[in-house]
Amino acid sequence: EIFALVVDDEGLLKNVTVTLVAGGDEERGSSCLEYYFHELKKEPNAYGFTPDAEFPAIFAEKGILQVELTAAGSQNFIIEGGSAANAVPASCTLTYEDEDDKPHTLKTHGKSAHASTPELGINAIALMPDQLRAKRIDFSYCPVLCFIDDYINNLGPEKLTGCKITDLSGG
């Protein structure tokens, strides 16, 4: 609340309470905010802002997708990848059984990058469908792998989000 006092001393805000909440767990789920609101019984603010990356121009991670996908019919394929929700996954492991119920493991390797700069990384999970095709492994009956191939690899962010996307940085 020191910030609020300075802003108030300058006369920039009238009849407004500004609360500065500084946490240390933003990259792993913001458990510090859970503690602040639930354990300390603080009321949520009407407005909030979390600057990220190149403040003040960027307010959120770009293209972050944190999901756990499961589907009926994919019991022969178990796919695991990524180590943090805010990073492009650098590795992916697929365990599957062939028609003789013999287990196999397939790995892909990408390049990790922070979610604020995903264009610097290579998503190892997204590489898996092409790896399977190269090895002539049919994954058409695995809804999770089909989703990754159809929606992550082939649609692109513009079609996936329904928003016109423009890179103003010139990159």
Side-chain angles (χ1 to χ4, degrees):
E1 297 194 20
I2 295 169
F3 173 76
L5 295 174
V6 171
V7 172
D8 190 48
D9 287 347
E10 295 295 321
L12 299 174
L13 297 174
K14 299 292 183 199
N15 301 320
V16 175
T17 301
V18 176
T19 305
L20 174 64
V21 179
D25 189 30
E26 182 265 334
E27 300 289 352
R28 296 288 185 173
S30 297
S31 62
C32 48
L33 289 180
E34 177 99 14
Y35 178 82
Y36 179 79
F37 290 118
H38 297 287
E39 299 298 323
L40 298 179
K41 309 291 187 214
K42 300 290 185 177
E43 289 294 317
N45 299 327
Y47 301 97
F49 179 77
T50 303
D52 198 8
E54 298 172 24
F55 179 77
I58 298 173
F59 157 67
E61 307 288 11
K62 298 181 275 187
I64 196 165
L65 179 65
Q66 180 179 359
V67 295
E68 181 175 317
L69 301 172
T70 57
S74 61
Q75 63 271 17
N76 289 339
F77 288 98
I78 299 171
I79 186 168
E80 298 178 87
S83 58
N86 65 331
V88 175
S91 65
C92 178
T93 303
L94 175 79
T95 306
Y96 66 96
E97 294 176 355
D98 62 18
E99 57 276 347
D100 298 323
D101 294 329
K102 183 179 175 190
H104 298 274
T105 299
L106 184 61
K107 295 184 180 205
T108 54
H109 301 282
K111 180 181 175 189
S112 186
H114 190 272
S116 66
T117 54
E119 67 277 6
L120 300 178
I122 299 171
N123 186 327
I125 298 171
L127 296 175
M128 191 56 75
D130 283 341
Q131 182 78 280
L132 290 167
R133 269 193 285 280
K135 294 190 175 289
R136 302 187 193 283
I137 298 169
D138 179 21
F139 63 91
S140 63
Y141 62 91
C142 179
V144 172
L145 286 166
C146 289
F147 173 84
I148 291 167
D149 198 37
D150 292 341
Y151 291 96
I152 306 300
N153 291 345
N154 295 324
L155 275 186
E158 209 167 287
K159 288 181 183 174
L160 188 61
T161 63
C163 299
K164 176 94 172 117
I165 298 172
T166 303
D167 183 355
L168 299 175
S169 70

